[in-house]
Amino acid sequence: MTRRDRPRHGRSVRALVALVTLAVGALLALAPEDAAPAMGEASRHTTLHAATTHGVTHKVPVAAVFTYHPHQDPSEGVIHGAINAVVRIPGGTAVFYSLGGRADSVASNMPPLDLVSPYNAFDAWSVGIIDPQGMKYYQPLTSADEHCLCSKTADIGGLSGPAKPLVGYAVLPELPARMKTATVVFGFGVVLPGIPITDTLPRPTTKASGNIELGGGWPALPSKSAIAATDKSLSILPMAANTAKPQAATSSTPTTTSIALNSSVLFDFGKATLTPAANGVLEDAAAKISKAGTGVVTIVGYTDSIGDDADNQVLSEQRAQAVQAALTKLVTRRGVTFQASGKGGAGTGGRQRHRRGTCAQPARHRDVHEGGAVMTGNGTHPEGRRRTRMPVLAVIAAAAALALCACTSPSPSASAGVTPSAGASVQQLSAKDAAAEILGTRKALPVLGSATGTITGPGVDSAVIEQVLAVRASAASTVVIWRLKSASGARVDAASFQLAHAPLMDTRLLGVVDTATKTTYRPYTYYPAQGNGEDLGCACSKLPQEVDGTGEVLYAVVPPLPTSVTKVSITLPGFGTVKDVPVTRDKG
């Protein structure tokens, strides 16, 4: 069994880590506060108030500061952090950061591992960089023994949280030379755009291991040979850009294009004859196919789950054939051929699922969603050698009315008045001032608009407020910062929130709408490097466990907005539309 096939046991390991942490904490609680450190403790906790090299005192770089709740639970307090530097190194990219505050414990500063994680317990693994232009998500490298080339959770946290920030690192794959700034994703999904990328390591490097306080030097990185020995393919994940219009949703990766068309436009209920309104929709789909490349395109028709299975199978085949006949006439590029087949009904519960909607995905990751038809194939791209062998695929919804959606999701958060900040420049501060900057109170972002919805589930029926805090657009992407909070101020269990996308527990339904073109932009999604099944999540936050009167600050990274867009609407199923939200333009 290879390392890629081996099952993981992250959840059970996390439980074990928590038990060990509690046990150690209980033992330490019995020791007097002024007890002398045990032998070897100095190697686990290094304090140098002014890091010097040859008599030169080095400043501490601070590129961005942020906060979040452990496990997105406001009752656990607030972790304070900073991205200090993103540095190009031979064979990779080093991200240096700092964490502190009383909530920064070993068991809570990083998200739990899932069953397919390439990392192990105790790895401080949740450090990533998004490259929207290259459509890649970079995560820490792993060694041959399946450990992250990064700090350990114990290095960057204590049993009850360090009073001073501790420094950590993660080594990611090499970034493209064109990238001058990075969008860093940290912890439970904090998104920090515009972090400058440098070639200069922060100084000095310390030989100490374990807890290194900010100002005591920076962790030594793995050797060049250790970095070179890693399998980079495991740490570079392809991303998909997700957009939607009233009649179609598109999901695009560097090698695939997926189009989901509104089935109520294509066909009348129970029919296989294209409606007059379908012509314009299919013309647009044909134009995308013609532009994408050449190859064999397979169309798979679906129906909903109503009616007899045999009848649905026949209807799905007829619908696929109708779409094939239309696209054959409309696609202008030579070398594109079609194959049509049907898959019958959508399966158990399909009718209800259509009411809620589904999310278009590239067919190489999932054949099709209920109520759709998939077109897929391999071919070449007309733009030359760099983009040859371009698979062409599209999804044609051919069932009951399909509510179009795509991808968003909640993430970490901060307490009231505590919001992340990032800039195009890096501050150079003394260790004391850097610690004060990291641990200080953040200025709250203003609320640009809000809407009310309801969390409904077993024993739960509570009003919740959605607040939009910022829409920051750049040439590469758009970052949305928003908050979910309890309308009553009481704590509300969000585990059954209707926006959850099981098993990832993210919300894939946030939309940034350009009202002029009626285009909705959804968060990027990313996939296993081997393309073996479901996507791994969105470029956005996880679902908070609970929300209270303070609220949870959440993030989403969506495709770039046209430069002409100065205001957008924010949509979220179950909530009213937040209109006329101003867009801030960043340089990065």
Side-chain angles (χ1 to χ4, degrees), residues 108-173:
S108 65
N109 52 26
M110 285 281 147
L113 297 170
D114 59 36
L115 296 179
V116 295
S117 173
Y119 309 110
N120 280 312
F122 309 110
D123 288 340
W125 62 273
S126 187
V127 184
I129 290 179
I130 297 172
D131 174 16
Q133 183 176 342
M135 299 296 289
K136 295 290 190 296
Y137 180 81
Y138 296 86
Q139 59 183 8
L141 297 169
T142 53
S143 61
D145 61 357
E146 300 185 357
H147 278 282
C148 173
L149 268 60
C150 61
S151 296
K152 303 301 180 183
T153 55
D155 298 336
I156 57 172
L159 294 175
S160 59
K164 296 182 179 179
L166 304 176
V167 296
Y169 78 92
V171 177
L172 282 60

Side-chain angles (χ1 to χ4, degrees), residues 322-419:
V323 171
Q324 175 185 351
L327 290 177
T328 300
K329 299 176 181 178
L330 294 171
V331 172
T332 57
R333 178 168 295 279
R334 293 183 178 179
V336 176
T337 58
F338 299 90
Q339 295 178 350
S341 62
K343 292 291 186 180
T348 304
R351 186 176 186 180
Q352 179 63 28
R353 291 191 185 104
H354 289 314
R355 290 173 180 170
R356 293 181 180 179
T358 187
C359 187
Q361 303 276 353
R364 63 171 181 171
H365 301 297
R366 179 187 294 176
D367 278 348
V368 73
H369 298 267
E370 292 99 351
V374 176
M375 300 190 303
T376 182
N378 292 313
T380 58
H381 193 277
E383 294 183 5
R385 181 178 303 173
R386 183 179 179 185
R387 297 184 65 185
T388 59
R389 301 302 299 170
M390 169 76 101
V392 182
L393 56 98
V395 179
I396 308 299
L402 175 65
L404 297 179
C405 68
C407 299
T408 59
S409 101
S411 102
S413 84
S415 59
V418 184
T419 52

Side-chain angles (χ1 to χ4, degrees), residues 406-448:
C407 299
T408 59
S409 101
S411 102
S413 84
S415 59
V418 184
T419 52
S421 65
S425 61
V426 178
Q427 299 183 77
Q428 299 291 337
L429 305 173
S430 67
K432 180 179 179 180
D433 289 343
E437 174 72 10
I438 294 169
L439 298 176
T441 301
R442 309 287 182 263
K443 182 179 179 181
L445 292 173
V447 177
L448 304 179

Side-chain angles (χ1 to χ4, degrees), residues 251-528:
S251 180
S252 300
T253 74
T255 58
T256 66
T257 300
S258 173
I259 308 169
L261 303 182
N262 191 325
S263 61
S264 63
V265 176
L266 295 180
F267 304 101
D268 290 328
F269 180 76
K271 303 295 184 182
T273 303
L274 292 169
T275 66
N279 293 333
V281 177
L282 292 176
E283 285 176 358
D284 185 63
K288 289 183 173 67
I289 295 170
S290 297
K291 183 179 180 180
T294 63
V296 178
V297 177
T298 302
I299 305 171
V300 183
Y302 280 75
T303 70
D304 59 33
S305 59
I306 302 173
D308 180 80
D309 288 345
D311 291 340
N312 283 337
Q313 177 63 34
V314 173
L315 179 60
S316 67
E317 294 173 357
Q318 291 174 339
R319 286 182 166 182
Q321 293 165 1
V323 171
Q324 175 185 351
L327 290 177
T328 300
K329 299 176 181 178
L330 294 171
V331 172
T332 57
R333 178 168 295 279
R334 293 183 178 179
V336 176
T337 58
F338 299 90
Q339 295 178 350
S341 62
K343 292 291 186 180
T348 304
R351 186 176 186 180
Q352 179 63 28
R353 291 191 185 104
H354 289 314
R355 290 173 180 170
R356 293 181 180 179
T358 187
C359 187
Q361 303 276 353
R364 63 171 181 171
H365 301 297
R366 179 187 294 176
D367 278 348
V368 73
H369 298 267
E370 292 99 351
V374 176
M375 300 190 303
T376 182
N378 292 313
T380 58
H381 193 277
E383 294 183 5
R385 181 178 303 173
R386 183 179 179 185
R387 297 184 65 185
T388 59
R389 301 302 299 170
M390 169 76 101
V392 182
L393 56 98
V395 179
I396 308 299
L402 175 65
L404 297 179
C405 68
C407 299
T408 59
S409 101
S411 102
S413 84
S415 59
V418 184
T419 52
S421 65
S425 61
V426 178
Q427 299 183 77
Q428 299 291 337
L429 305 173
S430 67
K432 180 179 179 180
D433 289 343
E437 174 72 10
I438 294 169
L439 298 176
T441 301
R442 309 287 182 263
K443 182 179 179 181
L445 292 173
V447 177
L448 304 179
S450 62
T452 301
T454 302
I455 289 182
T456 302
V460 179
D461 189 7
S462 303
V464 179
I465 298 174
E466 168 204 5
Q467 295 177 327
V468 181
L469 305 178
V471 178
R472 296 173 176 169
S474 69
S477 63
T478 304
V479 176
V480 181
I481 305 176
W482 55 296
R483 179 190 289 125
L484 283 179
K485 60 181 295 185
S486 168
S488 66
R491 295 170 66 86
V492 176
D493 181 5
S496 60
F497 196 23
Q498 62 264 39
L499 298 183
H501 177 74
L504 301 174
M505 298 309 293
D506 58 30
T507 60
R508 304 180 150 247
L509 305 176
L510 182 76
V512 180
V513 183
D514 173 8
T515 55
T517 62
K518 297 182 179 180
T519 301
T520 300
Y521 297 83
R522 312 282 188 179
Y524 291 99
T525 43
Y526 53 92
Y527 300 85

